Structure formats: structure tokens, C-alpha cells
Amino acid sequence: MKSQINVIHVLLFSVALVFICPNTEAQTTPLKRPKSKVGVSSVDNFVTESFDIYDKVYKYDGYNEAGTPLEEDDIDILEDALDDLNGLTDSAPDILGDLGGLSILKQGKATLQINKAKKALKYSIKTAKELLLGQRERDTNEEETENDSDDTITVNDQGTDSNHENDDTEKANISDNLEVYSKFDFVPGDKMLFYDDFSQDFIGDFPSKWNTNASGEVVRIGDKGNWFELKSGYGVYFIPDLNNLPKDYTIEFDILTKGLGRKTSSTAQLFIILSDDNKFKDGTAHYAYVSIPVGQYGAFPLRAKNYFNRGGGEINANIKADIRNEVLNKPHISISVTKNRYRLWVNEVKYVDIPRFIEELNVLNYLKFHINNFKDGEEHLYISNLKVLEGGVDLRRKLLSEGKISTNGILFDSGSANIQPQSLGIIRQISQVLMQDENIKLNIVGHTDADGTEESNLKLSKARAAAVKEALISIYKISGHRLQTNGKGESVPIADNTTNYGKAQNRRVEFIKI
């Protein structure tokens, strides 16, 4: 027993030395990666990811010292590494909660490894920035302390309470209650530019309306239909056949994930990129992106970054959020670009609203997707129901001035009159018109595509119109006597019913002033 106590005293003394003793080696001597693991997934992941990035940055720092210029691909890797570093740094405090209940020996070992990883992160952030700016000069006489007081993670003898250690269970499903979406203010555009639900693609094939420099495939998942599985990798991009994005447009799609858990990297992300070219990179002179994190062992930020005129951009921000539950439960992503303004919603919650994110108009003509740091064969991300529409017109003004509007932005479950929650933005705008002028009465008319029989489609269109009426009454408290409904089925198409694109346009709801 005495021997064990002495060991603990020595360990605690060693931990104390970390805080007060400077490191006499210059940074040109590489930090040594810990050889063993603590046994706590969040700590081990944090340490491993920190040193993985450190190794990349240290390598390029060596190239710089040798006078070897960085290539364009090297710069892209460093920029990606810098983005990953910011996310890792933000996640460091979150892992303290996983040390509760550990023995003093394990707490000491975890603290040592976390502090070493923090030092690697500090070097990597400073060095990556200097390399990208062309300002890196190694100082071999530079001495750095092992830990700065504001960068050091410590743990007390009792640890910190945690209920999450080794918790790989899936979180509860999101609510399907439309009331949750009653203040959702996303309004989709009114002119279809691109639509793909991958229903016309063969299972196992790369989708016909996309391009990539790697691989991907269409898969069928249970009763959820066809989905496009994106493959993870640095420099890997997926580009839909879409060009010349207008000044005002909206983007919507669904995400499905599989295999995510406590061991998923904090840097595993989905990037949605607006670009000035259709090449396999972020862009040439202009681009802007927002990334959505999928890591589960901490609350990781969304990231927003823009780059214009080959000289950088004003926005490079980490937006704090906790969307761990959402990414496990088939979230719907909605994006609205209105000239310079950029907004992004995950389900009904708006997480990004940057007034001048698009610094130059008429230059970002392409849409790209990219995912990174997913474990190959274990962790998966799929997308479907991608819809890009021009506009985002204020339907309230149009209804008041023209007396009629038609929208295919009110979505229903397939073959059903169940309104999908993300459609509430449009219904909310209609309610505001009715609240503003109590004398207005509306006829709500449903239309379907030509799938199914004429009789069933007529019945379905009437049921969908009635469902919209019920939403206006029950959620927004509009009097029922001001609303009439009708359905036309497939009888009044406005596009070709033999294509997915045309069918998506034909599935619509009209609001007509009486």
C-alpha cells in the first residue's frame, strides 16, 4: 500500500512539474506522440486527432525551413488542417466530463496527454497560419513552456461527473410535431433549377446527374428510398450538374447517417460549398462554405468561411451549436441565399445568418459537397431530395398584389397528406397575410404528379389541400370559414410528368383570393 501511495505522489508531482517547468527544447524538435491510450474514447480521440494534424503541419514546416515552396495542394491541406484545429481546440473543454469516476492514476495520465495534445495544437495553429501567410520563420532559440496557464486542462482529485463515457447509443428521435416548426421562416424559391432524389439511378451506380474525382454510389436504405452515399477524403468533391446560380436561390436536402458514435472524429464534417468553378477544389478565386459537424463525443461548431478575389475573406467563424442529436435523426437542411445574405437551418432551427457572407455577386455559380474524416467502411453519410430553386420571393406581397400564388415548397410524405415540418415557412407567410387583412378569404387547391391512378391522385390532392387548411386553423388560429379547399389531381400539369424534375414541379399547392 505504501508503494502505491508513493507512486501516486510521484505522478502528481510530475503533473505539477508540467505547469511550472519550461521546455528547454526548441520547437524544431518534434513532440512525441503518447505511446499508450488512456482508455477513455473522447480523450484518446482528442489526443490522436491533435497529433495527426500536428504531424502534417510539422512536415510542411520542415519543407519551409528547407526552402521548398508550398504547392497549391499543400496550401489546401494546410487550410483544411487549420479549420480542423479550430474545431479541436473548441472541443477540448468538453472532454473533461469524461474523467469522472476514474482512478487518480488514470486522471493523471489523461491530464498529461491532454496537455501534451494542447501544446501540439498551439504549435500547429500558430505555424499553419504563418505558413499560409508566408510569414513563417523558425526560431531555434525559442523556448516554450510545456503549458501556458490559459491553455492547460486540469482535473481535480474527484474528477468531473459524466454520464457519457463509452456511450454509443443512438439519441432519441426528433419531434415530428408541426408545432415545433410554427415559427420556422425559411421560404423556398419558386423556380426549379435542380432536383434529384436518385430514384432514376441504379443501385450501386454513381448518380447520373453528378460528377466527382473519387467514388460514391446510390444505395437503397430500408423504406427510406434511394440515397447518395458520399465518400470521405481530402480533396474529394461531389458536384451536381448545376451552373449559373442566380443572386437569389434556396437549397434543400436531407441527410442520413450511419455508424456515428463516441469514437467519431471531432473533425468529421459535411461541407456545403458555393464555388466559382466546377473543378475538384473549393474554388479558384472565390468560394464560400459552411460545414456541418457530425462528431458525437462533444458539441462541435458549425464553420463558416468565405474567400474572394484570391485574397481571403472577411468571414472565418466557428458557430457554437450542439446538433449531435439532429445528425443522427435524418435532418433536413435548408439554405437561403439572398444576394449577399446567407442563412442555414438544421430542421426548424436557424444556425447561420450572415448578412454579407457573399462578398461578390454573380461569381459563385456552382454547388459542391465534401466530407472528411469519416472512418472508411464504418461511418457513412448519405444525402437525398436535393432541391435548388431560384427565388425565395416574399409570397405575402405576391399574394396581395396578384391575388394568387403557386408553390411546390409545401412538401408531403410520399402518397400521403402528411405535411413535412420544413414546409411551415410558407404556410406561416400565408397566415400572416390572413392576419393582416381579416377580409381576405382563400381557396386552397392541391395538385399532384401523374404517379398512380387519376382517381387516387384526385383524392390525394383534395386531402393535401385540406391538410394545409387544417394547419392554418390549428397552428396559426385562422378561422375556418375564411378557407375553402379543392383538388385537381394530375389534371393540370405545368411540366413533364415523365421526369423527376417535372414531377417535382407538378406537385404544388395554389392559394387563390376569393
Side-chain angles (χ1 to χ4, degrees):
M1 178 65 70
K2 183 176 180 180
S3 174
Q4 182 179 359
I5 293 173
N6 287 337
V7 170
I8 293 174
H9 286 166
V10 170
L11 177 60
L12 291 175
F13 178 71
S14 300
V15 173
L17 286 177
V18 169
F19 301 116
I20 61 177
C21 294
N23 177 14
T24 58
E25 291 183 332
Q27 189 59 60
T28 50
T29 301
L31 294 173
K32 292 183 178 179
R33 182 190 294 258
K35 294 181 179 179
S36 61
K37 295 185 180 295
V38 174
V40 178
S41 61
S42 57
V43 175
D44 292 335
N45 285 344
F46 176 75
V47 172
T48 298
E49 291 167 12
S50 298
F51 274 92
D52 285 348
I53 297 174
Y54 169 83
D55 289 342
K56 291 178 188 176
V57 175
Y58 191 87
K59 178 181 72 173
Y60 288 112
D61 197 9
Y63 290 167
N64 179 74
E65 186 179 32
T68 304
L70 296 180
E71 302 291 340
E72 185 176 348
D73 288 346
D74 300 333
I75 293 173
D76 289 342
I77 292 173
L78 274 174
E79 287 180 338
D80 286 341
L82 190 57
D83 286 338
D84 292 343
L85 285 165
N86 291 330
L88 271 174
T89 302
D90 287 343
S91 73
D94 294 330
I95 64 179
L96 285 174
D98 291 341
L99 303 187
L102 297 181
S103 68
I104 188 65
L105 289 171
K106 269 202 170 184
Q107 287 184 24
K109 181 177 180 180
T111 302
L112 284 169
Q113 292 199 10
I114 292 170
N115 287 334
K116 197 167 187 178
K118 288 282 281 184
K119 183 182 179 186
L121 287 176
K122 182 178 178 182
Y123 159 81
S124 299
I125 290 173
K126 176 177 180 291
T127 302
K129 287 180 178 178
E130 290 175 350
L131 288 171
L132 288 169
L133 293 172
Q135 299 173 350
R136 178 62 176 164
E137 292 184 6
R138 277 190 172 183
D139 185 357
T140 56
N141 296 317
E142 179 184 1
E143 290 186 356
E144 296 188 20
T145 58
E146 181 74 26
N147 295 284
D148 291 318
S149 59
D150 59 346
D151 280 339
T152 303
I153 296 177
T154 59
V155 59
N156 59 34
D157 289 345
Q158 300 303 316
T160 306
D161 183 42
S162 171
N163 295 320
H164 301 295
E165 182 174 343
N166 298 323
D167 179 12
D168 287 316
T169 58
E170 186 172 299
K171 297 178 175 62
N173 286 333
I174 60 173
S175 172
D176 290 327
N177 189 345
L178 291 180
E179 294 284 354
V180 175
Y181 282 75
S182 62
K183 296 183 179 180
F184 180 52
D185 57 351
F186 170 79
V187 177
D190 53 0
K191 179 183 177 182
M192 188 76 70
L193 300 177
F194 183 89
Y195 178 79
D196 204 350
D197 63 359
F198 310 106
S199 63
Q200 300 301 303
D201 293 299
F202 291 106
I203 303 302
D205 278 1
F206 190 84
S208 58
K209 295 191 288 186
W210 291 67
N211 194 18
T212 187
N213 57 339
S215 178
E217 64 177 337
V218 175
V219 300
R220 176 172 289 277
I221 301 177
D223 59 354
K224 297 180 175 65
N226 287 6
W227 293 75
F228 177 27
E229 180 176 7
L230 308 184
K231 298 297 184 181
S232 176
Y234 279 106
V236 174
Y237 294 85
F238 301 91
I239 308 174
D241 292 343
L242 171 71
N243 54 37
N244 295 324
L245 287 170
K247 291 181 181 178
D248 301 327
Y249 57 94
T250 60
I251 302 168
E252 295 179 78
F253 59 94
D254 296 317
I255 295 174
L256 198 61
T257 59
K258 180 182 177 183
L260 303 183
R262 298 279 292 170
K263 295 182 180 180
T264 299
S265 171
S266 62
T267 59
Q269 301 165 82
L270 166 66
F271 291 79
I272 305 115
I273 306 162
L274 306 177
S275 177
D276 63 347
D277 64 36
N278 60 354
K279 308 299 183 183
F280 301 118
K281 56 184 179 179
D282 289 344
T284 300
H286 318 279
Y287 64 82
Y289 70 69
V290 171
S291 67
I292 297 174
V294 300
Q296 295 296 303
Y297 73 79
F300 305 113
L302 286 83
R303 298 176 189 169
K305 180 179 179 179
N306 65 5
Y307 178 91
F308 286 91
N309 297 313
R310 301 179 185 271
E314 294 295 325
I315 307 297
N316 188 6
N318 287 337
I319 302 165
K320 290 190 175 181
D322 187 353
I323 59 171
R324 286 174 287 180
N325 185 52
E326 285 81 354
V327 300
L328 294 178
N329 289 282
K330 194 184 172 186
H332 184 78
I333 308 301
S334 308
I335 297 169
S336 174
V337 177
T338 310
K339 296 179 176 60
N340 303 100
R341 186 183 184 188
Y342 181 104
R343 291 173 289 169
L344 181 145
W345 293 257
V346 179
N347 293 328
E348 83 284 4
V349 179
K350 181 165 58 181
Y351 287 97
V352 181
D353 191 347
I354 303 177
R356 295 180 179 88
F357 191 49
I358 311 301
E359 293 181 12
E360 295 282 341
L361 299 180
N362 302 316
V363 296
L364 301 181
N365 296 315
Y366 298 90
L367 173 64
K368 304 177 183 180
F369 294 87
H370 163 67
I371 67 171
N372 208 4
N373 295 316
F374 285 66
K375 294 185 182 70
D376 187 38
E378 298 180 24
E379 299 168 344
H380 307 267
L381 185 142
Y382 315 86
I383 66 171
S384 193
N385 302 312
L386 174 64
K387 183 165 58 174
V388 183
L389 299 103
E390 183 175 3
V393 176
D394 190 328
L395 297 177
R396 295 167 295 188
R397 290 188 175 89
K398 188 173 182 180
L399 180 56
L400 287 171
S401 63
E402 299 180 15
K404 175 181 177 180
I405 59 170
S406 177
T407 176
N408 50 26
I410 299 179
L411 306 178
F412 302 86
D413 292 342
S414 179
S416 164
N418 294 328
I419 300 173
Q420 294 184 7
Q422 61 266 27
S423 305
L424 264 288
I426 294 176
I427 298 176
R428 180 172 181 258
Q429 281 203 356
I430 300 301
S431 75
Q432 290 170 338
V433 173
L434 293 166
M435 291 175 186
Q436 179 177 318
D437 187 343
E438 293 186 356
N439 294 317
I440 292 178
K441 296 182 179 181
L442 292 178
N443 186 25
I444 305 168
V445 183
H447 298 265
T448 69
D449 58 32
D451 289 350
T453 66
E454 289 187 17
E455 182 181 358
S456 64
N457 285 332
L458 180 61
K459 182 178 179 181
L460 179 61
S461 67
K462 291 182 177 180
R464 287 178 170 177
V468 174
K469 174 182 176 179
E470 179 58 30
L472 285 166
I473 294 171
S474 62
I475 298 176
Y476 299 104
K477 312 307 178 187
I478 303 299
S479 175
H481 80 272
R482 301 173 62 190
L483 305 170
Q484 297 179 11
T485 64
N486 197 0
K488 300 291 186 179
E490 63 186 73
S491 64
V492 192
I494 58 174
D496 185 358
N497 261 316
T498 63
T499 68
N500 284 344
Y501 178 88
K503 290 177 183 178
Q505 290 184 290
N506 289 330
R507 295 189 294 266
R508 66 195 191 277
V509 177
E510 291 180 306
F511 297 88
I512 305 168
K513 286 173 65 176
I514 301 173

